[in-house]
Amino acid sequence: MSFPLQPVPTDELVAVAWIASIPGLDPQMVATQLPEDANPDGSPAEWVARGRGFVTVTVVGGSPAPELPLSRPVFQVDCWAVMPGSNKPPWGVANRLAEAVKQAAWDRRSVSRRLTITVRGVAYPPAVVLDAQVVTQPRRVWSDDADYARYQCDLALDWVAPGFTVE
């Protein structure tokens, strides 16, 4: 059996797209890695200057369905905020991001949705998130030397790629 070499949605791409689709967030606020907080000229990066924070996702576990093309990953979701020139981390901003993720998982009317995924000009086949659950309460993460505020929670998603079949 050979698999075609084409873009396919991955767990991380699906999580980024699902979180980015939460009202009040946008794709520039969500990724798998925290961007630099300053531009090459020393000015604050856009995510810092806007003061809206940033969300990163990392796969930490999960179990795919054994006989169906259903993915069930669990992610560590880190919600970041920073205020340049201040030694007081903006905990409220980071907490609001984490609470937005939790509220979106509780919203039974819109938790299940079809996602269009495009990364750096590459269009991936769509994915459909069937269910989302925040499986740990959002919590503060202390001891950051750069005075970043960070809230963390774990998110479980059940998702499928429409049209993908197993024979």
Side-chain angles (χ1 to χ4, degrees):
M1 176 188 300
S2 68
F3 291 97
L5 295 176
Q6 63 181 0
V8 295
T10 65
D11 292 334
E12 289 175 332
L13 290 175
V14 171
V16 167
W18 188 83
I19 292 171
S21 71
I22 295 171
L25 279 80
D26 62 52
Q28 290 74 37
M29 295 174 68
V30 188
T32 57
Q33 183 175 341
L34 188 65
E36 295 291 329
D37 58 4
N39 295 317
D41 65 4
S43 64
E46 183 180 352
W47 78 271
V48 173
R50 291 172 53 189
R52 295 178 58 198
F54 201 87
V55 180
T56 58
V57 297
T58 306
V59 176
V60 294
S63 298
E67 296 179 16
L68 299 171
L70 171 68
S71 294
R72 294 180 150 161
V74 177
F75 302 92
Q76 175 178 303
V77 177
D78 290 291
C79 302
W80 304 84
V82 65
M83 185 176 300
S86 173
N87 64 353
K88 293 186 177 185
W91 293 108
V93 174
N95 179 253
R96 280 192 295 278
L97 290 170
E99 289 297 323
V101 172
K102 184 170 77 172
Q103 294 292 324
W106 282 344
D107 186 352
R108 293 293 114 195
R109 291 171 300 177
S110 65
V111 71
S112 177
R113 54 188 172 264
R114 185 180 185 98
L115 302 170
T116 302
I117 302 171
T118 304
V119 179
R120 291 188 282 285
V122 176
Y124 290 81
V128 176
V129 170
L130 303 172
D131 191 30
Q133 297 176 19
V134 171
V135 295
T136 60
Q137 187 68 19
R139 61 205 172 273
R140 272 187 199 205
V141 178
W142 295 92
S143 73
D144 177 44
D145 296 332
D147 291 323
Y148 278 40
R150 179 168 55 139
Y151 266 76
Q152 186 178 87
C153 62
D154 294 326
L155 172 70
L157 294 179
D158 290 355
W159 71 273
V160 296
F164 182 80
T165 59
V166 178
E167 296 181 19

